[in-house]
Amino acid sequence: MVTVDEVADPQVLSMWLEVNGKRVQNGSTKTMIFGVAHLVSYISRFMTLYPGDLISTARRPVSAWATSRTRCT
C-alpha cells in the first residue's frame, strides 16, 4: 500500500496475481475497463471511503480464478 503522494499516475500501475508463489497474471491499471478515478467516484456515491480502504476489481478479459490453469491447493 502506498499514499497518494507516492503514485504519480494511478492509471499506469503494474498489477499481478500470484497463487502459491506462482505468478498467474500480469496486468496494468491502464487496461482496466473503468479508470481508477471513475471507480473511486462511483463507489463514493454509495459509501464513505477511508484511508486504507481497498477496492477489489477483476482483470479483463477473465479473472485468474476462472481459468483452468490456476489451481489453488
Side-chain angles (χ1 to χ4, degrees), residues 64-71:
W65 300 111
T67 63
S68 61
R69 66 187 176 102
T70 304
R71 305 236 190 282

Side-chain angles (χ1 to χ4, degrees), residues 6-67:
E6 297 175 292
V7 178
D9 184 354
Q11 277 313 131
V12 290
L13 297 174
S14 296
M15 300 183 292
W16 61 90
L17 172 66
E18 293 182 359
V19 177
N20 296 328
K22 180 180 178 184
R23 186 159 299 187
V24 295
Q25 277 191 340
N26 285 302
S28 171
T29 54
K30 65 183 167 187
T31 63
M32 291 171 52
I33 295 170
F34 297 106
V36 174
H38 177 83
L39 291 172
V40 170
S41 173
Y42 182 78
I43 293 169
S44 294
R45 294 181 194 175
F46 307 102
M47 62 185 292
T48 302
L49 293 172
Y50 297 98
D53 283 351
L54 298 176
I55 299 172
S56 180
T57 65
R59 180 182 171 277
R60 64 176 194 184
V62 65
S63 172
W65 300 111
T67 63

